[in-house]
């Protein structure tokens, strides 16, 4: 056995030396090297894995929707805590916190998924249809809390199989067809974890994790690997997912919706780099199957979930019928927090808004539950308690509202647990507690919102500049502006051709639209010129009502529709006459508490884009209809007037121009269009105020224009 372990250690060292950018002190994962070693020990493993890959492809081909059932599979977990010191013997709470992380990450309700760049938002897996729970029944049918604690004389473990055998100081695996085995131990050489792919020896099946990378609560707060994502990553391998870069230079991870990547990404990331010609998206550094720090990985893709579903339907199909979660003779007095409702699956909590926690209390005991103490806190703040009393039958649950709390602007953990069921000690403390990650978002801005970008600070306070490509993103300029002394602009002119299609967003603070009227609108002034007929960019205005988890486009312009000036091969700087006002209805969002508005620039090798004088306000003379866009420029005009229209669907439209007395001075013949740019000449009309009326089958939109010839 010593010879076998030595040969594996040599293999690990050789492969480690070839990994670029790997830190000397930490190795994120050795699953690839471990698998290579297993193949040297088991001559049939490579063929079995190849057969499983063929099964995977066949299953995916026959399940185009990526699922075989709408039912959720709950996987029984046994955690083997192997320790040689008190610090390695992690608490039940630490173990339970790791189960919470897995359920959030594979359930798609991890709060940090709101950080996704726009080009990956439609690729996220969402709910993978699997949950994880500590086993309640062992292989012999006896009651268990799903945690085995094994004291050992082995001080440090290599990344082989020794920790998986009782005879070698570790702990034997439970049957792999019914349980997910996790070994938590003191791994040496800076290794965080490794996993066994489907197809291997059942006696060694599962994941092995360094004890300081297991779980998400004190005593290991704030570290790079302290948020439980090492286990999320290794369980991904156990469910037949590969590394995002395919374990080779621009390799293949066998998933279609993950960008090809050159190598793993390490450390903290807030913007992506480009490798393997993967523009405009760049590397998917936030994927759980990359190597970034825990707080910077927060998604799986729909394609990865399809592989997971295939795995659960083929090579790991026995988990769906496992008896590992059977209830075996519940104790008399046992209760716990079964779920946290608020903060919820889509946390949208403002720093200055007090929120009311709500949790689900469950009676796990056989006696009727008549009383319990509920304990709760945010992060490491002082614990608050509330006494509960009632009558809860065995196996029943009740939702409990707790006193209000206020969070700060940051990522947080909300903890809740029970003590003293029926005024006695709890028989099973391991099921007492649950935690939930949530984000305290920026304070609401009261309606109406006004921003002229004149203040030197950019982005303005409580605004967000999402620079996804590591470039400059949106910026402030004093070179051109509609009014005041500055405007926001995006430099598309000097952007490299490799950045075509790259998106960047400038996002308002959440606007409280609770008291906004039904005729509320977004107005802003724009200025843009194309570089050429093929060099143009896009401005997409989007809104989110759930603090950035999901966005909806409400207005989109590009090319001539966006342009307010003739094309130029020079860097565009608008004159005072080359600005146009845009008005967008916010009627569907009146009453929304948190309305984010995002200005997304999509680069296509065009020219500079400017916005200024933004207002979320009540419509005045301009009538607004959802799905109908009318822009008029320049305004004021000396005669020539550009009228830009855009519709969600083909629309029958007509222009009518009237003076201040209501007299018609110009009109067009009705026509059906999806949108166009029309130029009219009012140079022969008297100077003064005119109204441009766009008539459609949905109603009319009116713009006021000043003629100053």
């Amino acid at each position: 056995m010593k010879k076998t372990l030595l040969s594996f250690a040599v293999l690990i060292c050789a492969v480690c030396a070839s990994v670029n950018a790997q830190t000397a002190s930490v190795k994120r994962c050795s699953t690839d090297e471990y698998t290579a070693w297993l193949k040297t020990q088991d001559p049939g493993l490579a063929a079995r894995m190849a057969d499983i890959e063929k099964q995977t492809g066949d299953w995916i081909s026959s399940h185009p929707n990526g699922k075989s059932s709408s039912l959720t599979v709950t996987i029984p977990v046994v955690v083997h805590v192997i320790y040689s010191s008190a610090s390695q013997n992690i608490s039940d709470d630490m173990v339970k916190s790791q189960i919470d992380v897995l359920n959030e990450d594979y359930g798609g309700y991890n709060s940090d998924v709101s950080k996704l760049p726009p080009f990956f938002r439609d690729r996220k897996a969402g709910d993978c249809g699997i949950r994880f729970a500590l086993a309640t029944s062992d292989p012999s049918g006896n009651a268990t809390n799903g945690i085995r604690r094994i004291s050992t004389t082995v001080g440090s473990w290599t990344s082989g199989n020794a920790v998986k055998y009782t005879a070698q100081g570790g702990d034997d695996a439970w049957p792999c067809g019914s349980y997910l085995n996790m070994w938590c131990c003191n791994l040496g050489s800076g290794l965080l974890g490794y996993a066994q792919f489907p197809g291997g020896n059942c006696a060694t099946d599962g994941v092995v994790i360094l004890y300081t990378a297991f779980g998400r609560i004190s005593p290991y707060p704030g570290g790079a690997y302290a948020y439980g994502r090492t286990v999320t990553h290794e369980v991904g391998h156990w469910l037949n997912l590969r590394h995002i870069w395919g374990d080779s230079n621009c390799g293949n991870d066998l998933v279609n919706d993950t960008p090809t990547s050159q190598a793993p990404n390490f450390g903290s990331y807030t913007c992506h780099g480009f490798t393997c010609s993967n523009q405009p998206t760049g590397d998917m550094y936030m994927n759980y199957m990359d190597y970034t720090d825990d707080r910077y990985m927060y998604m799986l893709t729909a394609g990865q979930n399809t592989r997971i579903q295939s795995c659960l339907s083929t090579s790991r199909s026995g988990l769906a019928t496992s008896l590992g979660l059977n209830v075996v003779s519940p104790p008399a007095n046992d209760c716990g927090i079964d779920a946290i409702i608020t903060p919820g699956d889509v946390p949208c909590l403002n720093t200055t808004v007090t929120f009311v926690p709500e949790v689900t209390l469950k009676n796990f005991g056989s006696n009727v539950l008549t009383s319990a103490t509920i304990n709760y806190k945010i992060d490491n703040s002082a614990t608050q308690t509330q006494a509960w009393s009632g009558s809860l039958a065995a196996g029943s649950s009740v939702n409990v509202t707790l006193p209000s709390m206020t969070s700060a602007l940051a990522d947080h953990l909300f903890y809740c647990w029970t003590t003293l069921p029926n005024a006695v000690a709890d028989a099973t403390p391991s099921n007492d507690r649950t935690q939930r990650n949530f984000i305290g978002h920026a304070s609401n801005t009261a309606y109406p919102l006004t921003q002229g970008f004149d203040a030197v600070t950019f982005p303005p306070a409580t605004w967000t500049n999402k620079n996804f490509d590591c470039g400059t993103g949106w910026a402030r300029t004093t070179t051109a502006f509609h009014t005041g002394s500055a405007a926001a602009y995006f430099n598309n002119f000097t952007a490299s051709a490799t950045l075509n299609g790259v998106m960047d967003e400038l996002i308002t603070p959440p606007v409280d639209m609770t008291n906004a009227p039904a005729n509320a609108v977004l107005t802003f002034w724009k200025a843009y010129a194309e570089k050429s007929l093929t060099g143009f960019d896009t401005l997409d205005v989007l809104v989110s009502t759930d603090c950035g988890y999901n966005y909806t486009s409400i207005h989109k312009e590009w090319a001539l529709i966006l342009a307010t000036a003739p094309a130029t091969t020079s860097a565009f700087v608008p004159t005072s006459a080359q600005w146009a006002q845009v008005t967008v209805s916010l009627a569907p969002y009146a009453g929304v508490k948190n309305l984010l508005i995002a200005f997304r620039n999509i680069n296509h090798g065009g020219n500079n884009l400017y916005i200024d004088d933004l207002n979320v306000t009540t419509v005045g003379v301009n009538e607004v209809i959802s799905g109908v866009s009318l822009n008029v420029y320049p305004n004021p005009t000396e005669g020539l007037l550009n009228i830009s229209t855009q519709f969600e669907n083909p629309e029958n439209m007509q222009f009518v121009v009237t003076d201040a007395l209501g007299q018609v001075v110009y009109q067009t013949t009705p026509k059906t269009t999806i949108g166009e740019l029309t130029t009219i000449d009012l140079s022969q009309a008297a100077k003064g105020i005119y109204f441009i009326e766009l008539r459609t089958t949905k109603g009319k939109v009116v713009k006021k224009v000043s003629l100053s010839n």
Side-chain angles (χ1 to χ4, degrees):
M1 189 64 193
K2 290 182 179 178
K3 181 178 180 181
T4 300
L5 290 177
L6 179 60
S7 64
F8 178 61
V10 171
L11 176 61
I12 287 291
C13 291
V15 179
C16 286
S18 67
V19 178
N20 292 330
Q22 175 67 66
T23 62
S25 58
V26 174
K27 178 164 179 57
R28 197 65 158 105
C29 168
S30 69
T31 295
D32 191 41
E33 299 90 330
Y34 173 68
T35 303
W37 175 74
L38 286 179
K39 289 178 180 179
T40 69
Q41 307 301 302
D42 181 356
L45 177 58
R48 294 196 301 274
M49 291 183 66
D51 286 342
I52 289 173
E53 197 54 48
K54 183 180 184 305
Q55 291 176 13
T56 300
D58 291 344
W59 188 94
I60 292 173
S61 297
S62 61
H63 296 80
N65 65 349
K67 290 186 177 182
S68 60
S69 171
S70 60
L71 299 178
T72 296
V73 175
T74 302
I75 299 174
V77 178
V78 54
V79 178
H80 310 262
V81 180
I82 314 297
Y83 65 95
S84 61
S85 68
S87 63
Q88 296 170 20
N89 188 20
I90 66 173
S91 68
D92 286 0
D93 279 356
M94 185 73 85
V95 172
K96 183 62 167 59
S97 75
Q98 184 60 70
I99 302 300
D100 293 336
V101 173
L102 286 172
N103 285 325
E104 291 173 15
D105 291 349
Y106 284 90
Y109 57 86
N110 53 300
S111 64
D112 45 5
V113 76
S114 64
K115 301 174 184 177
L116 273 176
F119 31 83
F120 291 145
R121 288 172 188 155
D122 62 351
R123 303 189 194 185
K124 62 185 177 184
D127 189 347
C128 292
I130 55 176
R131 297 293 185 270
F132 302 84
L134 290 170
T136 56
S137 176
D138 72 11
S140 299
N142 300 314
T144 179
N145 66 357
I147 304 172
R148 288 180 55 78
R149 298 186 178 278
I150 308 298
S151 177
T152 184
T153 58
V154 180
S156 178
W157 300 88
T158 63
S159 44
N161 284 330
V163 74
K164 303 175 182 180
Y165 289 102
T166 302
Q168 298 182 49
D171 195 33
D172 291 343
W174 287 10
C176 66
S178 299
Y179 301 91
L180 163 56
N181 288 276
M182 296 183 184
W183 287 270
C184 175
C185 62
N186 184 29
L187 288 170
S189 303
L191 176 60
L192 298 185
Y194 59 100
Q196 182 170 299
F197 284 113
N201 185 352
C202 193
T204 57
D205 188 69
V207 303
V208 183
I209 308 295
L210 177 67
Y211 74 98
T212 56
F214 200 103
R216 187 180 57 182
I217 57 176
S218 180
Y220 310 114
Y225 310 110
Y227 293 83
R229 262 55 191 271
T230 297
V231 177
T232 299
H233 176 100
E234 299 304 339
V235 169
H237 287 315
W238 183 79
L239 290 167
N240 208 23
L241 296 183
R242 268 48 177 183
H243 287 135
I244 203 78
W245 66 99
D247 292 304
S248 62
N249 186 13
C250 299
N252 182 7
D253 68 347
L254 307 176
V255 177
N256 291 331
D257 59 358
T258 57
T260 302
S261 300
Q262 186 175 39
N265 293 292
F266 295 96
S268 58
Y269 272 75
T270 57
C271 58
H272 59 254
F274 301 111
T275 63
C276 308
S277 302
N278 60 11
Q279 296 90 339
T281 62
D283 290 356
M284 191 180 276
Y285 64 85
M286 73 295 300
N287 195 284
Y288 295 133
M289 303 314 295
D290 205 337
Y291 276 4
T292 47
D293 291 353
D294 280 15
R295 295 185 69 179
Y296 299 91
M297 52 170 61
Y298 38 81
M299 78 168 292
L300 291 170
T301 69
Q304 288 174 313
N305 186 31
T306 298
R307 284 187 64 86
I308 291 172
Q309 298 304 317
S310 173
C311 178
L312 293 173
S313 299
T314 55
S315 56
R316 298 201 184 278
S317 59
L319 294 167
T321 56
S322 170
L323 301 180
L325 295 175
N326 283 1
V327 177
V328 183
S329 302
N333 299 296
D334 181 19
C335 70
I337 301 302
D338 196 42
I340 294 173
I341 301 171
T342 303
D345 289 359
V346 182
C348 204
L349 305 174
N350 303 109
T351 58
T352 58
V353 176
T354 300
F355 69 95
V356 179
E358 185 178 6
V359 300
T360 300
L361 172 67
K362 184 170 182 177
N363 181 10
F364 295 110
S366 58
N367 287 343
V368 173
L369 184 68
T370 59
S371 66
T373 299
I374 298 177
N375 311 269
Y376 60 102
K377 66 178 182 177
I378 297 175
D379 301 327
N380 290 319
S381 62
T383 298
Q384 301 183 46
T385 62
Q386 175 163 303
W388 176 89
S389 61
S391 180
L392 199 57
S396 298
S397 302
V398 64
N399 292 342
V400 180
T401 300
L402 302 173
S404 60
M405 306 183 79
T406 301
S407 65
L409 179 62
D411 290 6
H412 299 286
L413 292 176
F414 176 77
Y415 303 96
C416 191
W417 67 99
T418 59
T419 51
L420 299 176
N422 293 331
V424 299
D426 195 298
T428 313
S430 62
N431 62 12
D432 290 351
R433 61 160 300 285
T434 298
Q435 65 172 237
R436 171 61 59 84
N437 178 234
F438 73 96
I439 298 177
H441 292 273
S443 304
N444 288 64
T445 294
Y447 172 90
L449 171 70
T450 299
Q451 182 56 247
F453 306 107
D454 292 326
V456 174
T457 301
F458 190 90
T462 70
W463 284 59
T464 305
N465 191 1
K466 290 288 186 73
N467 172 23
F468 298 109
D469 61 349
C470 305
T472 56
W474 286 89
R476 176 179 178 269
T477 180
T478 57
T479 303
F481 42 83
H482 178 250
T483 64
S485 59
Y489 93 112
F490 199 96
N491 182 355
N492 292 300
F493 182 78
T494 59
S496 167
T498 60
L499 298 181
N500 280 359
V502 167
M503 305 177 188
D504 293 85
E505 293 174 344
L506 180 63
I507 306 175
T508 69
V511 182
D512 187 352
M513 302 285 287
T514 303
N515 298 316
N519 61 341
V521 295
L522 163 69
T523 65
F524 63 93
W525 289 80
K526 64 168 184 176
Y528 176 76
E530 297 175 281
K531 184 185 295 184
S532 66
L533 294 179
T534 58
F536 60 86
D537 310 290
T538 299
L539 173 64
D540 196 3
V541 183
L542 309 97
V543 295
S544 173
T545 60
D546 55 11
C547 288
Y549 283 78
N550 297 282
Y551 279 90
T552 300
S553 177
I554 59 172
H555 183 79
K556 194 170 187 177
E557 298 184 9
W558 63 94
L560 287 174
I561 297 176
L562 178 61
T564 61
T568 174
T569 56
S570 301
F572 174 60
V573 178
T575 66
S576 59
Q578 291 176 322
W579 291 81
Q581 189 179 42
V582 178
T583 303
V584 185
S585 173
L586 296 178
Y589 306 101
V592 171
K593 189 171 185 61
N594 293 283
L595 185 69
L596 292 176
I597 304 173
F599 295 85
R600 178 185 295 172
N601 180 88
I602 306 176
N603 176 271
H604 282 289
N607 218 319
N608 298 332
L609 169 65
Y610 301 77
I611 61 173
D612 199 7
D613 294 336
L614 178 149
N615 291 277
V616 175
T617 186
T618 303
V619 68
V621 67
N622 302 329
E623 298 181 23
V624 178
I625 304 170
S626 180
V628 176
S629 172
L630 171 65
N631 296 314
V632 179
Y633 59 93
N635 187 12
T637 179
E638 294 182 355
L640 290 179
L641 195 63
N642 296 309
I643 305 174
S644 170
T645 57
Q646 186 178 4
F647 309 102
E648 288 183 350
N649 299 296
E651 180 66 48
N652 185 270
M653 71 161 197
Q654 179 186 23
F655 290 120
V656 177
V657 182
T658 58
D659 61 19
L661 299 177
Q663 301 295 316
V664 175
V665 298
Y666 182 90
Q667 65 180 3
T668 63
T669 303
K671 62 187 299 186
T672 299
T673 179
I674 191 70
E676 62 181 39
L677 179 65
T678 302
T679 301
I680 64 175
D681 187 358
L682 298 179
S683 58
Q684 301 304 312
K687 66 179 181 180
I689 299 298
Y690 291 83
F691 297 93
I692 313 299
E693 181 180 303
L694 170 61
R695 297 176 179 178
T696 73
T697 57
K698 292 184 175 181
K700 65 182 180 179
V701 180
V702 180
K703 297 283 188 180
K704 181 172 70 174
V705 175
S706 175
L707 178 62
S708 57
N709 58 354

